[in-house]
Amino acid sequence: MPVSLNNAADQYDAIVIGSGLGGLTTANRLAWCGHKVLLLEFHHQLGGLATWFKRRGHIFDISLHGFPYGMVKTCKKYWNQEIMNSIVQLKDIVFDNPQFSLTTSFDREDFTSILREKFEVPQEVIDRFFSTVAGMNFYDDQTMTTRELFEEFFPGRSDIHRLLMEPITYANGSTLDDPAITYGIVFSNFMNRGVFTFEGGTDTLISMMVAELEKNGVTICTRAKVDRIVIEDGRVCGVEVNGRTISAPSVISNSGITNTIFNLAGRQSFSDEFMARAEAIRVNNSSCQVYIGIREGAAIEYKGDLLFTSTAPEFSSEELLDSHTCSKTFSVYYPKTRPGHDRYTIVASMNSRYEDWTGLERSDYEQKKEELIERTLVDLERYFPGVRDKIDWLEAATPVTFNRYTLHTRGTSFGTKFEGLDVSRSIFKEVPGLFHVGSVGIIMSGWLGAINYGVIVANDVDAYLRSREIH
């Protein structure tokens, strides 16, 4: 269990700021390597956006969670067998919009069949498309956009563009005008074997991770807001947290990259060239959620695990971000999702802009949330007729909510656009001992991206700490 900051030591080898999956993984790997690690979390719960809350007997994951099969290997290698064994497939992914309605397992074999038989795409074109996106990597040409990629293989087919793009937009906030590699890498990961989630929910996952962290000797403190990263003579020396200074030769920020640079470290710590790149970082969009609890003893019919729904005529990134969007996903949590917890919950997710929600008068803000809830229920009743009579809890979260609880710049749910990755990866070259891990560059977002990035950064920190021992 987390301990009071009063019980933390005065000095550590590494201090991790923030407990998103990237921060948790970095802390775990460094402790496994033998380093003395302190993990500081501003909130009272760990997990960042991979967290949960409880209301009237319900347990709600705070947002849509689905990840590729690669999580199985990653969790086995970098966490433990128990966590790996709790990963299960979401077998029924539903698309329903004016252009098509279908159910898929969301893997390459099923998508190939759908593209060939329902959308009448020649097999040769399908094979070339899959081969192209599977071969994409970070070092590829970044000038081609996803829109151009789709037009090359499926010219004028807005229905196919929607099938291919809509779920990825919900997964990482990318648009048709982002670099094609940010689409191809993520899409290929999902096409490997489909969409997976964590049986037992994020509450079970985080409790397993905490047990592993404590087994490896990590000191965990919650309600510990870091005010400043201490940098002296161009090097990291520690952090100021809750009025106390704790020393460490390395600090890993799992806060957003912009928050890390501008607020925690301060622009005076970096070169003009680096700050020019940092100021050019575009923060990705955020999201809204509506949490729907079904009263005890009531049930809803099985309609699929994840529903991508819309009444918009065609896919549009702008429409998805509109505060009155008619497009949303429904993550349906049946009792099987949390074995032993015999309740049904539904989490509706919509992409959103921070500026549409911030600065409102309190009464206007609350009214706008009520309108969001009502539109969501209207859409939900198309799939679960009469569901209103079974609901005993309704609550909405907005980008303002995410900003409040995570401190993410503009409440972003998806980190930064592509240019954020290079800044994140080079920050330790500017300030020795300062590292960043988090959702940057789109491809490092989501559960799998966050954990894998945590491993990469942990390796960098370990190498840095060992180089200090040599010298």
Side-chain angles (χ1 to χ4, degrees):
M1 295 293 292
V3 301
S4 168
L5 186 64
N6 294 330
N7 296 329
D10 293 325
Q11 187 168 2
Y12 288 85
D13 297 324
I15 298 174
V16 179
I17 304 171
S19 68
L21 292 182
L24 292 173
T25 302
T26 300
N28 190 52
R29 295 304 298 167
L30 288 173
W32 185 85
C33 290
H35 301 295
K36 184 179 179 182
V37 180
L38 173 65
L39 176 64
L40 300 172
E41 169 55 47
F42 150 75
H43 195 29
H44 71 272
Q45 282 191 173
L46 305 175
L49 288 177
T51 195
W52 73 98
F53 64 93
K54 297 180 180 180
R55 296 286 191 273
R56 196 178 291 176
H58 299 293
I59 304 174
F60 293 102
D61 285 353
I62 66 163
S63 61
L64 165 65
H65 295 311
F67 43 78
Y69 181 76
M71 274 285 284
V72 174
K73 179 180 178 180
T74 290
C75 286
K76 178 182 179 182
K77 187 172 183 179
Y78 300 117
W79 282 97
N80 59 40
Q81 185 84 24
E82 182 184 19
I83 292 175
M84 183 200 81
N85 289 341
S86 296
I87 295 172
V88 295
Q89 185 175 11
L90 298 176
K91 296 183 179 179
D92 294 315
I93 313 301
V94 177
F95 289 80
D96 184 42
N97 58 67
Q99 291 180 289
F100 56 86
S101 294
L102 58 87
T103 300
T104 174
S105 55
F106 208 78
D107 55 37
R108 177 168 179 171
E109 181 179 356
D110 197 39
F111 252 49
T112 296
S113 176
I114 289 169
L115 287 170
R116 184 180 61 245
E117 298 172 13
K118 186 175 182 66
F119 294 92
E120 299 180 339
V121 179
Q123 185 67 48
E124 181 269 335
V125 174
I126 298 170
D127 290 341
R128 280 198 301 111
F129 172 74
F130 275 113
S131 177
T132 298
V133 295
M136 289 180 171
N137 63 64
F138 174 74
Y139 301 102
D140 285 345
D141 175 24
Q142 300 170 19
T143 58
M144 173 184 274
T145 66
T146 302
R147 187 189 306 275
E148 291 168 338
L149 173 71
F150 288 170
E151 282 297 324
E152 177 180 337
F153 289 94
F154 314 107
R157 293 295 302 269
S158 65
D159 53 346
I160 297 177
H161 300 179
R162 184 179 214 156
L163 172 70
L164 298 174
M165 189 66 196
E166 198 166 62
I168 306 303
T169 297
Y170 283 114
N172 63 19
S174 60
T175 72
L176 289 170
D177 296 314
D178 283 315
I181 63 169
T182 65
Y183 171 83
I185 293 172
V186 176
F187 180 74
S188 294
N189 284 338
F190 278 111
M191 284 293 102
N192 184 16
R193 296 198 188 180
V195 182
F196 290 76
T197 194
F198 195 83
E199 185 177 71
T202 52
D203 49 324
T204 302
L205 170 65
I206 298 302
S207 68
M208 289 181 176
M209 288 184 166
V210 167
E212 184 71 12
L213 287 160
E214 291 177 339
K215 185 183 79 172
N216 288 328
V218 177
T219 300
I220 304 170
C221 298
T222 55
R223 294 185 172 90
K225 184 178 184 294
V226 173
D227 299 307
R228 183 170 75 95
I229 297 171
V230 181
I231 300 171
E232 296 179 357
D233 298 324
R235 289 182 175 272
V236 160
C237 298
V239 301
E240 289 182 1
V241 51
N242 292 6
R244 178 183 174 190
T245 300
I246 301 177
S247 300
S250 67
V251 171
I252 305 93
S253 176
N254 189 210
S255 182
I257 184 63
T258 51
N259 188 46
T260 299
I261 294 170
F262 294 103
N263 298 326
L264 294 178
R267 62 174 59 239
Q268 72 281 355
S269 302
F270 305 97
S271 68
D272 291 343
E273 184 275 333
F274 183 85
M275 286 306 304
R277 289 191 288 135
E279 289 168 348
I281 293 174
R282 296 165 296 161
V283 175
N284 226 326
N285 57 268
S286 185
S287 60
C288 289
Q289 272 70 36
V290 175
Y291 306 101
I292 303 160
I294 305 300
R295 71 172 183 272
E296 189 172 9
I300 54 176
E301 184 181 353
Y302 181 79
K303 296 284 187 175
D305 298 300
L306 185 58
L307 285 65
F308 293 100
T309 73
S310 179
T311 55
E314 294 185 346
F315 172 82
S316 163
S317 299
E318 288 301 306
E319 194 282 326
L320 258 68
L321 286 170
D322 190 274
S323 60
H324 291 83
T325 180
C326 53
S327 305
K328 54 184 60 69
T329 64
F330 293 108
S331 298
V332 187
Y333 291 75
Y334 305 94
K336 66 172 183 175
T337 311
R338 281 189 168 89
H341 187 75
D342 192 24
R343 301 295 290 271
Y344 294 80
T345 60
I346 302 167
V347 179
S349 297
M350 294 135 281
N351 289 11
S352 186
R353 297 185 183 93
Y354 180 73
E355 56 265 31
D356 289 338
W357 290 92
T358 190
L360 298 174
E361 294 292 335
R362 187 69 191 181
S363 59
D364 293 336
Y365 178 73
E366 293 299 330
Q367 180 180 345
K368 192 169 182 176
K369 286 207 297 184
E370 288 301 317
E371 293 170 354
L372 171 68
I373 290 172
E374 176 58 28
R375 290 194 301 272
T376 299
L377 291 180
V378 169
D379 287 338
L380 184 64
E381 285 192 306
R382 292 192 286 117
Y383 305 97
F384 300 97
V387 71
R388 285 178 190 259
D389 297 333
K390 300 178 179 181
I391 295 171
D392 70 352
W393 190 264
L394 285 166
E395 185 172 347
T398 74
V400 174
T401 315
F402 285 119
N403 174 255
R404 174 187 174 189
Y405 287 107
T406 68
L407 304 181
H408 287 179
T409 303
R410 299 170 62 82
T412 177
S413 301
F414 308 108
T416 73
K417 294 295 187 181
F418 195 70
E419 62 274 4
L421 181 56
D422 179 60
V423 175
S424 174
R425 291 295 297 136
S426 60
I427 193 169
F428 71 92
K429 298 176 183 177
E430 283 281 312
V431 180
L434 177 58
F435 301 82
H436 175 261
V437 60
S439 293
V440 284
I442 299 177
I443 59 176
M444 291 300 184
S445 63
W447 283 24
L448 179 59
I451 291 178
N452 282 340
Y453 197 22
V455 173
I456 292 170
V457 173
N459 290 338
D460 292 339
V461 179
D462 178 57
Y464 174 75
L465 292 173
R466 295 189 187 283
S467 71
R468 284 171 48 86
E469 294 172 2
I470 295 172
H471 293 106

